[in-house]
Amino acid sequence: MAVEDADTLYTRVAASGVVIEEGLVDRDYGSREFTCRDPEGNLWCFATYWPKAEQA
């Protein structure tokens, strides 16, 4: 899921007690992201990278 500020969201999510699968990381393609698992076991990735369809 694309977000404006991964750091702020990470702080809120980590404080809520969900399982963090991968902490904040900077990717080579310019994204800052993290991955977590919700209480139902679903995996979520939150990232600042948002590809633009018109640039394809």
Side-chain angles (χ1 to χ4, degrees):
M1 179 170 287
V3 298
E4 291 288 325
D5 185 353
D7 291 81
T8 299
L9 182 59
Y10 177 82
T11 300
R12 290 179 56 201
V13 168
S16 75
V18 300
V19 176
I20 302 296
E21 296 289 341
E22 180 180 49
L24 281 168
V25 62
D26 293 315
R27 300 289 184 202
D28 293 341
Y29 48 86
S31 184
R32 183 149 174 86
E33 57 193 60
F34 69 94
T35 305
C36 63
R37 196 168 296 277
D38 69 22
E40 295 177 351
N42 299 301
L43 195 61
W44 292 85
C45 180
F46 296 95
T48 57
Y49 181 72
W50 192 334
K52 306 285 190 272
E54 66 270 6
Q55 294 175 351

